[in-house]
Amino acid sequence: MPDAVVSHATAARLHGMVLPRRLAEEPVIHLSRPPGKSQSRRRHVVGHRLVLHPGEITNILGLPVTSIARTWLDLGGMLTLEELIISGDQVVSEHHRSFGPRRVARVPLPELKRYIEGKSGIAHLSKCRTALGHLRVGVDSPPETRLRLMLAHDPHLPEFLPNVAICDVDGTPQVWVDLGCRKFRTCLEYEGAHHLTPEQQAKDHHRDLLAAELGWVQVKISRADLLQGAGWVQAKVRRGLTLAGWEPPR
């Protein structure tokens, strides 16, 4: 099928994009052909019809594959809104901190916005545009996005931004936190499994001391907290904010 292009969840897997398990492990291949062509009906193949422009097709190991931006657009028909935001956060994530390697966006957020805003006539386009409004640059992991979205469900909580630098009196970054609210000098750290190693715990202890010395209140969130649900996480964050002087609206 020389006119077929690898697309949808299969393209996302080839690009290394974040997917929920049901799609990351699905035993099928998604192929797209132009309108007017018959859809693939082979075993373990899901056929689609797409109008693709040259810029929406790239090459991976000799295979024609939809571009990352086009793939994210097509995932809008397969993912929930939250899943689409999680995947999008990883696509646009970039940062240059005083430690560790520089992270470069797979597709910069302004470029992704221009691409999506330039599309029309696609059934799930409105979901992608809604997701765009929730994407934030600098997110390191899917749990950080889930945490941020849980907090966003409470309209009374202030916004926490990803990859916030805590600076000293000279304005030099001393600590980079997962999520931070500068107004109330409160930061959130998601502690996944890698935080259980002795080496990482020593680094975390040093980070915690620095944050406290610089006058920030730190709230640690674990996977177990996320499993408890949004209400549990919001209450934990409220307690931290209260220590920092925040008062809930009455």
Side-chain angles (χ1 to χ4, degrees):
M1 300 176 64
D3 60 352
V5 177
V6 180
S7 63
H8 294 79
T10 310
R13 291 164 70 177
L14 289 175
H15 283 301
M17 296 168 67
V18 171
L19 289 173
R21 179 174 294 181
R22 68 178 187 281
L23 296 182
E25 299 178 356
E26 65 174 357
V28 299
I29 294 174
H30 293 268
L31 295 177
S32 291
R33 304 183 75 190
K37 299 284 187 176
S38 61
Q39 289 183 320
S40 304
R41 299 187 182 278
R42 302 179 185 184
R43 188 180 181 189
H44 303 307
V45 173
V46 177
H48 307 269
R49 293 191 182 95
L50 293 179
V51 176
L52 296 173
H53 302 292
E56 295 178 310
I57 302 174
T58 188
N59 187 288
I60 298 179
L61 299 176
L63 295 172
V65 182
T66 52
S67 66
I68 292 177
R70 176 71 209 207
T71 301
W72 188 74
L73 171 62
D74 294 329
L75 288 175
M78 308 179 76
L79 301 179
T80 66
L81 179 60
E82 180 179 282
E83 291 168 344
L84 193 60
I85 296 169
I86 289 171
S87 180
D89 267 358
Q90 296 303 302
V91 167
V92 304
S93 180
E94 59 180 321
H95 53 63
H96 189 194
R97 299 185 287 220
S98 56
F99 67 94
R102 181 173 185 170
R103 183 163 182 167
V104 179
R106 307 291 300 279
V107 181
L109 182 56
E111 182 180 326
L112 184 61
K113 284 184 175 180
R114 286 194 299 270
Y115 173 78
I116 297 298
E117 289 169 357
K119 305 303 287 187
S120 62
I122 297 174
H124 48 270
L125 184 58
S126 61
K127 183 194 292 186
C128 290
R129 287 177 173 165
T130 299
L132 271 175
H134 293 281
L135 299 190
R136 297 293 182 269
V137 174
V139 178
D140 280 323
S141 68
E144 290 177 25
T145 301
R146 294 191 185 97
L147 171 57
R148 192 182 80 245
L149 294 178
M150 283 183 176
L151 300 181
H153 290 318
D154 185 340
H156 300 305
L157 290 176
E159 182 177 9
F160 283 81
L161 297 176
N163 196 40
V164 170
I166 299 179
C167 302
D168 59 20
V169 292
D170 297 323
T172 303
Q174 297 297 318
V175 184
W176 295 83
V177 296
D178 292 338
L179 293 164
C181 174
R182 291 192 181 280
K183 182 177 181 180
F184 295 103
R185 301 178 70 82
T186 301
C187 59
L188 313 180
E189 285 292 332
Y190 176 76
E191 299 201 323
H194 75 282
H195 286 269
L196 299 178
T197 65
E199 180 182 5
Q200 187 60 47
Q201 287 181 339
K203 291 180 180 178
D204 291 346
H205 180 63
H206 179 66
R207 176 204 66 200
D208 299 346
L209 289 176
L210 271 177
E213 288 174 1
L214 293 169
W216 282 62
V217 173
Q218 186 179 79
V219 180
K220 296 184 179 181
I221 304 293
S222 67
R223 181 174 180 272
D225 290 321
L226 295 186
L227 291 175
Q228 289 286 342
W232 174 275
V233 170
Q234 291 164 4
K236 194 169 183 178
V237 172
R238 282 193 210 101
R239 288 194 290 272
L241 284 167
T242 301
L243 293 174
W246 172 80
E247 294 183 2
R250 296 180 180 178

